[in-house]
Amino acid sequence: MTERVVIAGSGFGGLDTALKLREKNKKEEIIVIDKSSFFTSQISLYKLISGRTKKKRITINLEKLYKKHNIKFYKDEIVQVKPLEKAIITMARKINFDYLVLAIGGVTDYFGTEGIKENSFELKKIIDAEKINKHVEEEIEKSKYYTEPINIVICGGGLTGVETAAEIADLTRKKARVIIIEAYQTIMNGFSKKAINYAEKILKKKGITIKTNSHIKKAEKGKVILKDGTEVYSSMIIWCGGIKPNPLTHKTGLRTNEKGAIMTNDFLQTSHPHIYAIGDCSYMYKNPQPTTAFTATQQANIVAWNIHADITKKDKKAFMPKDWPYLIALGKRKGIMIRKNSIKTGLTPSIIKKFIEKQYLFTRKHRRWPLSKIEFK
Ligand SMILES: Cc1cc2nc3c(=O)[nH]c(=O)nc-3n(C[C@H](O)[C@H](O)[C@H](O)COP(=O)(O)OP(=O)(O)OC[C@H]3O[C@@H](n4cnc5c(N)ncnc54)[C@H](O)[C@@H]3O)c2cc1C
């Protein structure tokens, strides 16, 4: 009897689960559901902001891709999971499953900051990056008639905020004042002093102002207001404050943590043994992982194996995180690569980052899964 595996969400985690599972298992029915018909490489969105890449270079047409691999794809929005019935409910259908993988990602977290959602741009999807690019260009055009350069405020000095600020600075070429507002004592909080110093040096060279220890209290049209009462006027506010698990997790009937992430064991099983959760919507309670594309793809590898193992009565594998460097782009030709205690800065990390981003998309689009034999071992 063939089993039906349903994969909810086709981002980094869902896409790799589907392809890996199909490669291991030619027989089982695999259904993928995503509300978008394109996979978006969020790790490359920053390049769309400055217009140095095109949408088609950082997306994959899911219908075409899955057809090649004999995987059914529904462009549809999931609204609920019914674990006891082993069913998933979407806007258009109800689908029963033998195994379910939840890879529904996260959403922008505004941390309840008043007025931010209404008055800022977020950066999560292609459309967000395109909107930012268009708006920056328009504001720069308008500012030709102003006596002072405009302000563009980036809220959040984490990795996304830093990459976004650098791209905008490259795009505006000092015709705008780019300001990063960060609540912690430094940008890139948690990273080594050397990496932070290098990032600050490059950002400052690009004319970016960095305001640390600055908590945003609220935003209004054209300004952000800090907790100490300072008002920072801005033609454009971009929120890079963080992400939280997709709120759909609350409609799965599964055990979640206080942030709403679905709790999993080391085998990535949720409170229902035939339902797995990976990537940004999940939380391994014994071994918490950073919410990155690399975590999601590594977990996809394990989930594909574990479902295959369950069907073929083999032993499941526990998730063992592999070491992987952080790669941060600081505009077109500069970057940082951080691996354990070693840090590389300058042109090389920026080239490595671009290469990895391209290679990821290329292998999924064009090849027949070349690395699987190594990765499955
Ligand atoms: C701007 C930005 C830059 C980043 N840079 C990096 C980086 O440099 N390196 C790195 O490792 N990580 C980076 N990340 C984080 C990384 O992109 C995520 O950790 C990764 O995408 C998580 O994969 P995922 O499969 O869990 O979720 P996602 O890739 O977000 O996929 C979730 C999928 O679920 C679908 N979905 C959601 N809700 C529903 C629904 N109700 N019905 C149907 N489908 C649904 C979505 O359409 C999406 O396709 C970045 C993130 C952002 C936003």
Side-chain angles (χ1 to χ4, degrees), residues 257-276:
N257 70 3
E258 69 292 348
K259 287 189 175 157
I262 300 167
M263 309 261 267
T264 74
N265 60 18
D266 285 355
F267 300 99
L268 303 166
Q269 287 165 302
T270 64
S271 44
H272 186 299
H274 280 197
I275 304 181
Y276 292 80

Side-chain angles (χ1 to χ4, degrees), residues 8-9 20 103 108 311:
K20 293 266 174 186
T108 302
I311 294 170

Side-chain angles (χ1 to χ4, degrees), residues 98-197:
D98 295 299
Y99 294 89
L100 173 67
V101 181
L102 289 165
I104 47 177
V107 296
T108 302
D109 193 352
Y110 296 98
F111 300 98
T113 315
E114 192 187 326
I116 274 288
K117 190 172 179 192
E118 302 76 9
N119 293 296
S120 69
F121 290 80
E122 62 173 328
L123 182 60
K124 191 80 179 78
K125 301 187 283 294
I126 291 280
I127 182 107
D128 303 328
E130 286 177 338
K131 270 195 215 161
I132 293 173
N133 172 278
K134 188 164 172 265
H135 202 81
V136 171
E137 303 260 27
E138 283 169 4
E139 288 300 322
I140 292 296
E141 188 57 32
K142 275 197 261 168
S143 72
K144 281 182 185 164
Y145 308 101
Y146 303 162
T147 48
E148 288 269 305
I150 55 160
N151 285 348
I152 297 177
V153 165
I154 316 288
C155 307
L159 301 189
T160 304
V162 162
E163 286 189 342
T164 302
E167 291 301 313
I168 291 182
D170 282 359
L171 182 64
T172 57
R173 294 191 190 154
K174 300 196 176 161
K175 286 184 209 132
R177 252 190 249 120
V178 181
I179 304 164
I180 298 177
I181 299 184
E182 168 56 52
Y184 285 110
Q185 277 179 342
T186 66
I187 54 166
M188 289 167 51
N189 183 50
F191 286 91
S192 72
K193 194 96 198 93
K194 190 176 167 195
I196 294 168
N197 287 346

Side-chain angles (χ1 to χ4, degrees), residues 22 34 86 113 156 184 198 205 224 235 242 256 293 353 375:
R22 171 52 78 228
D34 199 294
K86 285 178 122 183
T113 315
Y184 285 110
Y198 180 76
K205 257 193 194 166
V224 292
S235 298
T256 55
K353 182 166 165 72
E375 288 174 26

Side-chain angles (χ1 to χ4, degrees), residues 305-317:
W305 171 266
N306 285 348
I307 293 175
H308 172 69
D310 214 35
I311 294 170
T312 54
K313 310 273 180 276
K314 289 184 182 146
D315 287 340
K316 291 196 194 64
K317 287 182 184 174

Side-chain angles (χ1 to χ4, degrees), residues 9-14 33-36 42-43 45 76-78 103-106 123-124 160 163 246 248 278-281 291-294 296 327 353:
S10 187
F12 280 96
I33 310 165
D34 199 294
K35 59 185 174 186
S36 167
Q42 291 170 31
I43 63 172
L45 276 180
D76 199 351
E77 185 168 343
I78 300 148
I104 47 177
L123 182 60
K124 191 80 179 78
T160 304
E163 286 189 342
N246 189 328
L248 177 63
I278 57 172
D280 290 3
C281 71
T291 49
T292 64
F294 185 64
L327 285 153
K353 182 166 165 72

Side-chain angles (χ1 to χ4, degrees), residues 24 301-302 305 317 322 371-377:
K24 274 275 125 191
N301 204 22
I302 294 299
W305 171 266
K317 287 182 184 174
K322 286 183 199 155
L371 292 175
S372 62
K373 288 196 176 59
I374 306 163
E375 288 174 26
F376 265 124
K377 276 180 186 159

